Amino acid sequence: MLQSLSIRDIVLIEALDLEFGSGLTVLTGETGAGKSILLDSLGLALGNRADSGLVRQGTEKAQVTASFAPPVAGSKLAATLDDNDIEIEPGEPLIIKRSVKADGGSRAFINDQPCSAALLRAVGGQLIEIHGQHDDRGMINPKGHRALLDAFAGVEGTAVGEAYQAWQAAKTTLEQAKDDQESAEKDREYLEHSVAELSKFGPEPGEEQELALERATMMKGEKLTGDLEAIRSVFDGSNGGLASLRSAARRLDRIAEDHPLLKEALESLDRSIIDAGEAEEKLNDAAAALSFDPQRLDDMETRLFDLRGLARKHRVEPDKLSDLLDELQKKLAAISDGGKTLEGLEASLASARKSYIVAAENLREKRGKAAKALDKAVAGELAPLKLDAAKFRTLLEELPEEHWNKSGMERIEFLIATNPGAPLAPLGKIASGGELSRFILSLKVALAEEYGLKTIIFDEVDRGVGGAVASAIGDRLSRLSNGAQLLVVTHSPQVASKGDAHMLINKSRSGTVSRTDVRALDDEGRRQEIARMLSGADVTDEARAQADRLLERG
């Protein structure tokens, strides 16, 4: 709800501070007094184009500050502010400030935090709806008609939205599976050949390192074979070195008791025989370990060459060939099982589509009933507003499947015809601005609480009508203002008399300078202003008496 409006240096307004309350506030004044300036100022705060022509002559900049009730936690407005990192303390009013310089530059703030004009328009659209002679927003825009009808019907599209998302997810999963299956089918021949080749070869983890080590060892043995045989020959046979040592030890043993030195020599000789024996064993073990088998070496080299060749072919490390074999076997198995998988996914898709259709058809049925009720309610409002020849219809047009969406299977739009025999057309196609405003009023009254906006502004909704029609307009504005806030610019005394508050817009002249100001009227002021609206410049006693009667009925 709009709480206050502060205007500085806009066109004819030097300084103006206004306070607003709930209910119906009427704004009146003579033609040319500056009502449009007031609305232009508010529009500037709500994100309209910053026109330097709004800056009062002789000043550097114009500024408007609008204060609104605190945003409701969890509301769309609160979400919009949060999404744009605009922080407002709980219970703190929402304050919009917009300035425009004479050179055309402009700045905007929400609670002292800089923001763009685009954000102002988004926020402003959730705070106020302005209906004038050439308005093309709000209820005229078909994009909002579905939400209005659903609110009137008291339904939510959550189930349809969730069913739609599930349907689309199932469709995406199936399409991906089909792509994978198609790609896999193209690779079947390659997979079968690769699996057969790798399975026949039988790569083992760590095999390359083992083969390379054994090959290197065997090649060393080939080089050392001659030397080893020559060394081992020194030890072998009855004439070998170790046999000679043992023979010498036996002879020395027989005479060792004859002299201490001989005994020591025998002990040294025994140690040498033990060491020589150990050396002979190690030489034999080394010869066995380094044994050279030309066939075995050739087999190892062939295996190692083939192993590395397969690794290069499949672009993996040799030790990863066994893992690759497992992976390719799984892919090949998946191709064989792919038909069953696709059948399951197709069944899931069909089930998801059916669930969506059931939910969407249920919603469409409720919308259809609500559309008939809304058409009837609007029709009941048309005759008193001098639109008795007009027709209103809520269109529910079934969409082709490719255009079904999370909101349902139909397009929703409000259509009207103002003349007998004329075809129904979108709201925005009405030629007469006055008829359009009255149509919107009738629709708002029919929607009542379901409409949801807290602040609505009508600019001359009573243009071109008077008497009983003006009274009917006033009655409906009064009804619409229950629980909401309406600001109505009017030339009709019948409408003005219905206001809960009355503001007079007045233009004064001092020398060559003209100024516009606005002031709240007390009871006597209202009586005098309504009398002026009835009689013109010369207010008569009869006009005052008639004003009293209107105010009493109001």
Side-chain angles (χ1 to χ4, degrees):
M1 184 179 77
L2 178 64
Q3 295 177 330
S4 65
L5 182 65
S6 176
I7 303 172
R8 295 292 183 271
D9 296 320
I10 289 189
V11 193
L12 301 179
I13 300 176
E14 182 177 358
L16 185 61
D17 295 291
L18 301 174
E19 301 290 333
F20 298 93
S22 61
L24 176 61
T25 297
V26 296
L27 296 96
T28 65
E30 295 183 355
T31 301
K35 294 184 289 295
S36 62
I37 300 174
L38 195 63
L39 295 180
D40 287 343
S41 300
L42 185 56
L44 180 66
L46 298 178
N48 288 356
R49 187 174 69 88
D51 186 354
S52 60
L54 293 173
V55 181
R56 191 167 68 90
Q57 187 174 1
T59 60
E60 295 181 356
K61 72 173 183 178
Q63 181 172 290
V64 180
T65 303
S67 176
F68 296 86
V72 177
S75 65
K76 182 179 178 181
L77 174 60
T80 299
L81 295 171
D82 185 62
D83 290 344
N84 288 274
D85 298 322
I86 301 296
E87 298 179 0
I88 299 180
E89 294 296 326
E92 185 180 17
L94 188 156
I95 301 174
I96 296 175
K97 183 183 294 183
R98 183 93 180 276
S99 62
V100 55
K101 294 183 179 180
D103 61 8
S106 69
R107 300 183 69 188
F109 300 86
I110 297 179
N111 285 54
D112 294 326
Q113 299 164 76
C115 68
S116 65
L119 177 57
L120 276 192
R121 286 190 292 273
V123 171
Q126 296 172 42
L127 291 168
I128 292 180
E129 183 168 321
I130 301 176
H131 288 287
Q133 292 297 303
H134 304 288
D135 184 51
D136 60 355
R137 301 170 298 168
M139 300 182 79
I140 297 177
N141 192 337
K143 292 181 179 180
H145 293 177
R146 176 186 289 111
L148 291 173
L149 179 63
D150 286 352
F152 181 78
V155 298
E156 293 184 0
T158 305
V160 174
E162 292 175 352
Y164 181 78
Q165 294 297 337
W167 177 29
Q168 296 307 301
K171 184 182 295 185
T172 299
T173 301
L174 176 59
E175 289 173 352
Q176 183 62 52
K178 285 182 176 179
D179 290 342
D180 293 344
Q181 181 75 6
E182 183 178 350
S183 177
E185 286 291 346
K186 292 178 181 178
D187 295 337
R188 181 189 283 272
E189 184 177 347
Y190 160 76
L191 289 171
E192 290 176 341
H193 171 76
S194 296
V195 167
E197 181 181 46
L198 289 172
S199 296
K200 182 179 180 180
F201 186 81
E204 296 290 340
E207 183 178 7
E208 181 196 28
Q209 185 177 356
E210 293 176 2
L211 287 173
L213 179 61
E214 186 178 356
R215 174 175 172 272
T217 301
M218 189 169 286
M219 291 180 71
K220 286 181 182 178
E222 182 183 12
K223 292 180 180 180
L224 298 176
T225 296
D227 291 337
L228 283 173
E229 290 302 320
I231 295 171
R232 290 175 66 197
S233 68
V234 174
F235 289 86
D236 290 342
S238 57
N239 295 323
L242 186 57
S244 297
L245 287 175
R246 286 172 177 160
S247 176
R250 285 193 296 272
R251 289 186 179 187
L252 186 57
D253 182 59
R254 289 195 293 269
I255 63 175
E257 296 296 330
D258 295 336
H259 193 279
L261 290 175
L262 293 175
K263 187 175 182 179
E264 292 178 5
L266 179 60
E267 291 174 352
S268 297
L269 187 58
D270 286 341
R271 289 195 297 272
S272 297
I273 291 171
I274 293 172
D275 290 341
E278 292 179 355
E280 183 181 30
E281 290 180 5
K282 292 185 185 317
L283 284 170
N284 291 333
D285 290 343
L290 295 171
S291 63
F292 173 69
D293 182 350
Q295 184 60 49
R296 172 61 182 164
L297 179 61
D298 184 63
D299 291 343
M300 279 191 298
E301 288 183 333
T302 299
R303 175 79 177 178
L304 189 59
F305 178 82
D306 291 343
L307 180 70
R308 290 172 174 171
L310 282 173
R312 288 192 298 272
K313 177 181 179 180
H314 294 285
R315 298 180 181 180
V316 297
E317 295 295 324
D319 283 347
K320 298 295 183 181
L321 282 173
S322 59
D323 294 337
L324 176 64
L325 175 58
D326 291 340
E327 180 182 342
L328 296 180
Q329 286 174 329
K330 290 177 181 178
K331 286 185 176 181
L332 193 57
I335 293 175
S336 302
D337 190 50
K340 294 181 180 179
T341 300
L342 291 179
E343 287 179 6
L345 292 176
E346 286 172 349
S348 297
L349 175 61
S351 176
R353 179 180 179 274
K354 183 178 180 181
S355 295
Y356 169 77
I357 291 175
V358 169
E361 287 180 342
N362 181 52
L363 180 59
R364 181 166 60 191
E365 182 180 355
K366 294 178 180 178
R367 283 172 172 168
K369 292 179 180 178
K372 291 179 180 178
L374 180 59
D375 293 352
K376 183 177 180 180
V378 173
E381 299 292 333
L382 296 179
L385 297 178
K386 202 178 179 180
L387 293 169
D388 46 306
K391 293 181 180 179
F392 173 87
R393 181 175 300 168
T394 304
L395 171 69
L396 272 69
E397 179 183 27
E398 186 173 352
L399 296 171
E401 182 168 339
E402 61 267 22
H403 293 300
W404 292 356
N405 54 60
K406 62 182 180 180
S407 297
M409 303 188 298
E410 59 278 338
R411 182 178 72 87
I412 298 173
E413 185 174 4
F414 298 149
L415 303 178
I416 58 174
T418 56
N419 298 310
L424 290 162
L427 280 172
K429 300 296 184 181
I430 297 178
S432 166
E435 288 178 331
L436 176 58
S437 294
R438 280 179 279 146
F439 243 115
I440 291 173
L441 176 59
S442 66
L443 184 55
K444 286 182 183 292
V445 172
L447 290 168
E449 295 181 359
E450 287 79 8
Y451 186 61
L453 275 178
K454 293 300 181 182
T455 300
I456 307 169
I457 297 177
F458 277 99
D459 182 14
E460 300 185 13
V461 65
D462 50 5
R463 178 185 290 267
V465 299
V469 176
S471 293
I473 291 174
D475 288 338
R476 281 149 181 79
L477 290 170
S478 181
R479 285 162 50 193
L480 189 59
S481 68
N482 290 330
Q485 182 186 51
L486 260 67
L487 306 181
V488 178
V489 176
T490 180
H491 288 288
S492 167
Q494 290 88 348
V495 173
S497 67
K498 301 294 182 180
D500 299 304
H502 192 147
M503 293 185 177
L504 176 63
I505 303 172
N506 182 59
K507 182 168 70 174
S508 61
R509 182 183 297 273
S510 177
T512 59
V513 178
S514 295
R515 288 184 175 84
T516 291
D517 59 44
V518 181
R519 61 187 177 89
L521 298 179
D522 57 17
D523 290 344
E524 180 55 31
R526 290 190 68 191
R527 176 174 177 263
Q528 189 70 12
E529 171 61 7
I530 292 175
R532 181 201 64 77
M533 296 171 73
L534 288 165
S535 65
D538 296 326
V539 179
T540 63
D541 290 338
E542 183 180 352
R544 292 188 182 93
Q546 189 174 355
D548 289 336
R549 288 192 292 272
L550 287 176
L551 288 169
E552 287 175 3
R553 289 198 296 268

